[in-house]
Amino acid sequence: MKKPDLSWLGGIGEKILPVLLKYRALLVVLLAGVLLLASAGWPGSGRRDPVQETAPASADEEGFSLSAFEESLNQKLAAIEGVGRVELMLSLDQTEEAVYAVNTRHTDSKAGGQSYESDLTVVSDGSYGETPVTVKNLLPTFRGAVVLCDGADNAQVRLAVTQAVTTVCGIGADKVTVLKMAAGT
């Protein structure tokens, strides 16, 4: 078997070497970019599955429960020194509301008329269902609170309870009423 004649390669090497030396920084950056792009598809490279990014909401994010909120706040208020037994009633000004994404299309006709068309943006869940795209969730707002407790005859206890409720509920002190609980209740 005869060896191929590779003498012509010597001339190319002499011509390419000065160009490679002149643009070596550019070639290093280009090679690093190609390696990064190629490594994106390797297993374990940190690439996430799109399904994992849209994980279902936790129990806290699924919805607001007024009774659970009241019970939690009852427990916190009962822990304040001097309060004793406590019952809390909250009233809502506005309930929880979700704002959904909407696609709006604007068209101009030749006669000078305009039309707008909008529809709800939905995402397929991979099977046969579709869910709307939520832009944001508006939490409920409170109107006021009534607190019945054993220690309401003490001004410091009333102040502490009022401050706790106003801080947690985001309402003014004038919207919170703290009353003494009846002895037989």
Side-chain angles (χ1 to χ4, degrees):
M1 194 151 115
K2 198 170 162 185
K3 290 187 179 182
D5 184 23
L6 300 176
S7 60
W8 60 275
L9 287 176
I12 293 175
E14 291 173 3
K15 293 177 184 176
I16 292 179
L17 188 59
V19 173
L20 291 176
L21 290 175
K22 184 176 179 181
Y23 296 108
R24 68 179 171 256
L26 178 66
L27 290 172
V28 168
V29 170
L30 183 65
L31 181 62
V34 168
L35 286 174
L36 281 173
L37 287 174
S39 69
W42 292 343
S45 63
R47 190 175 130 211
R48 289 185 178 180
D49 188 17
V51 175
Q52 293 175 348
E53 291 178 6
T54 58
S58 68
D60 293 338
E61 296 173 0
E62 284 181 5
F64 176 78
S65 169
L66 181 60
S67 60
F69 184 79
E70 283 179 339
E71 182 60 36
S72 174
L73 189 52
N74 262 338
Q75 292 173 359
K76 302 296 187 251
L77 293 174
I80 297 174
E81 184 177 345
V83 170
R85 295 177 301 145
V86 65
E87 286 185 24
L88 170 73
M89 183 180 79
L90 295 171
S91 62
L92 295 177
D93 193 29
Q94 173 185 337
T95 59
E96 184 177 19
E97 179 181 348
V99 178
Y100 298 108
V102 177
N103 288 331
T104 304
R105 289 178 288 289
H106 171 75
T107 56
D108 290 325
S109 66
K110 293 180 183 176
Q114 297 180 353
S115 69
Y116 293 93
E117 183 180 329
S118 62
D119 57 348
L120 190 63
T121 304
V122 294
V123 176
S124 175
D125 63 1
S127 59
Y128 296 107
E130 293 179 338
T131 56
V133 176
T134 305
V135 176
K136 62 181 173 179
N137 286 322
L138 300 175
L139 294 176
T141 55
F142 295 99
R143 179 178 297 148
V146 174
V147 181
L148 302 174
C149 65
D150 288 332
D153 51 351
N154 184 339
Q156 289 179 335
V157 171
R158 277 196 315 273
L159 178 63
V161 169
T162 302
Q163 287 177 338
V165 173
T166 58
T167 301
V168 171
C169 297
I171 55 178
D174 61 325
K175 308 270 188 203
V176 178
T177 302
V178 181
L179 302 170
K180 176 120 175 106
M181 185 181 285
T185 309

